[in-house]
């Protein structure tokens, strides 16, 4: 089968088309004929060596990709009738595992990491949902703020930040979000009650709206220490890239890792239903042939995208 991966860590040009053996589904697993794989920042981290510490026993080639959409073409023993042959599905893929990631014509994943594709949505758009929305869901569940509480979200125009705003609004939270001038309307459409300017002054601007500080903050822009002043005493800061603190005034810093919930089927399926009900929106920046993965990585690293790039394996 065709895949896209790398033999050595480096820049986008290390990505190449590979010819790999066709995988077979084992007990409790399904094989998916991939039509679309989303390109995420964590894929860039794998390519550049940022995930090497999580793969001490792996040998190349390494195949990136955590988000796939396609059609089930093989069921392993013990898979129940929730999933069927020929069914359009979306899946989260653990690319640090021995089988590699989603940048491949066929992938084998635990059935628990697979849910039906949202009805009425094309597979390229469907491929952009799970990893980022599940990260946002995990962040909100970790905060566990009661309805009516005020949450701040930085990086709100991005994939995780946008989903955090949409899910928080659905949870009954009041959201203060940041945005560059060109993204203010976008972030308001996500459901932010207040929008403050993006940048180093974000904590001051959040405090102007919430003088006692906010109870929780999801740091989608990875500003770490810069956003701590926005939090109330005893509040909680959610970090997405592993930064553990420290913080003062009793503030908790809680790193979250989406790999911890990749087999939470009920939560994954809830995200699918929220797309169908219009609570969550899907955003595709562009669809590129799989052979142009290097160009997709260059465009992602250049910044400024709104929505996800998607690789076409159909």
């Amino acid at each position: 089968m065709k895949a896209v991966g790398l033999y050595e860590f480096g820049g986008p040009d290390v990505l190449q088309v590979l010819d790999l053996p066709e995988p077979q589904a084992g007990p409790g697993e399904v094989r998916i004929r991939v039509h679309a794989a989303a390109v995420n920042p964590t894929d860039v981290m794998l390519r550049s060596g940022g995930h090497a510490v999580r793969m001490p026993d792996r040998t190349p080639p390494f195949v990136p990709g955590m988000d796939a959409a396609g059609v089930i073409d093989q069921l392993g023993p013990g898979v129940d009738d929730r999933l069927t042959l020929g069914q359009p599905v979306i899946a989260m893929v653990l690319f640090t595992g021995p089988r590699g990631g989603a940048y491949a014509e066929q992938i084998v994943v635990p059935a628990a990491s697979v849910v039906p594709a949202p009805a009425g949505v094309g597979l390229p758009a469907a491929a952009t949902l799970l990893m980022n929305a599940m990260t946002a869901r995990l962040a909100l569940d970790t905060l566990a703020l009661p309805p009516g509480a005020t949450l701040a979200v930085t990086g709100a125009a991005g994939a995780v930040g946008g989903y955090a705003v949409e899910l928080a609004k659905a949870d009954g939270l009041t959201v203060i979000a940041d945005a560059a001038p060109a993204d203010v309307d976008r972030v308001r459409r996500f459901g932010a009650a207040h929008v403050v300017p993006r940048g180093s002054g974000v904590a001051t601007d959040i405090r102007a709206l919430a003088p006692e500080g906010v109870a929780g903050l999801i740091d989608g822009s990875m500003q770490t220490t810069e956003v701590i002043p926005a939090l109330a005493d005893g509040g909680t800061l959610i970090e997405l890239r592993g930064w553990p603190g420290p913080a003062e005034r009793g503030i908790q810093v809680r790193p979250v890792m989406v790999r911890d919930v990749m087999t939470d089927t009920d939560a994954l399926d809830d995200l699918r239903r929220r797309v169908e009900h219009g609570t969550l929106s899907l955003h595709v920046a562009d669809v590129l042939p799989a052979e142009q993965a290097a160009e997709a990585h260059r465009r992602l690293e250049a910044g400024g995208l709104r929505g996800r790039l998607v690789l076409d394996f159909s």
Side-chain angles (χ1 to χ4, degrees):
M1 67 163 186
K2 179 177 73 177
V4 174
L6 54 134
Y7 282 93
E8 59 183 17
F9 301 121
D13 290 338
V14 302
L15 292 169
Q16 58 184 282
V17 176
L18 308 171
D19 185 12
L20 299 180
E22 181 181 274
Q24 304 298 318
E29 297 178 328
V30 301
R31 188 175 70 191
I32 299 169
R33 173 61 177 90
V34 175
H35 287 231
V39 179
N40 290 294
T42 193
D43 305 350
V44 173
M45 289 180 65
L46 172 65
R47 190 209 74 220
S48 60
H51 287 292
V53 68
R54 298 187 177 92
M55 305 184 295
D57 301 323
R58 287 278 314 282
T59 57
F62 304 118
V63 177
M66 290 188 72
D67 268 324
V71 175
I72 293 177
D73 73 354
Q74 188 181 64
L75 298 170
V79 175
D80 61 29
D81 59 5
R82 182 179 66 87
L83 301 171
T84 59
L85 287 173
Q87 183 180 19
V89 292
I90 51 179
M92 289 194 68
V93 189
L94 186 64
F95 62 54
T96 56
R99 286 196 173 103
Y103 291 12
E105 288 181 322
Q106 291 175 305
I107 57 172
V108 169
V109 292
S113 297
V114 181
V115 296
V121 173
L123 290 177
T128 67
L129 173 66
L130 287 183
M131 194 198 80
N132 293 291
M134 195 63 173
T135 301
R137 182 71 267 168
L138 176 59
L140 289 164
D141 290 346
T142 301
L143 286 171
L145 299 178
T150 299
L151 166 76
V153 179
T154 66
V160 175
Y163 285 135
V165 175
E166 290 182 321
L167 289 168
K169 182 183 179 184
D171 288 352
L173 303 179
T174 298
V175 182
I176 302 173
D178 71 345
D183 292 320
V184 169
D185 288 344
R186 173 185 176 88
V187 171
R188 288 195 185 280
R189 286 195 299 271
F190 290 154
H194 308 281
V195 180
V196 299
R198 176 182 177 181
S200 59
V202 67
T204 300
D205 292 329
I206 292 170
R207 277 279 184 165
L209 293 167
E212 300 301 316
V214 293
L217 191 151
I218 298 174
D219 187 20
S221 57
M222 277 70 77
Q223 289 179 256
T224 61
T225 57
E226 287 185 346
V227 299
I228 286 175
L231 284 153
D233 294 355
T236 302
L237 173 64
I238 299 294
E239 285 296 327
L240 309 181
R241 294 284 180 89
W243 185 70
E248 300 176 346
R249 299 187 287 114
I251 293 169
Q252 298 183 66
V253 180
R254 301 284 300 276
V256 298
M257 297 293 174
V258 73
R259 65 175 181 269
D260 295 337
V261 289
M262 290 177 65
T263 56
D264 187 340
T265 310
D266 289 343
L268 296 173
D269 204 40
D270 178 69
L271 298 174
R272 183 265 303 179
R273 290 192 297 269
R274 287 175 183 266
V275 171
E276 293 178 344
H277 296 157
T279 305
L280 291 178
S281 54
L282 304 176
H283 302 273
V284 176
D286 200 2
V287 180
L288 289 78
E291 294 82 2
Q292 294 182 22
E295 174 61 18
H297 277 227
R298 280 190 285 269
R299 289 176 60 180
L300 179 60
E301 289 184 287
L305 293 172
R306 292 296 174 258
R308 281 286 174 248
L309 296 169
V310 177
L311 299 179
D312 181 3
F313 282 89
S314 63

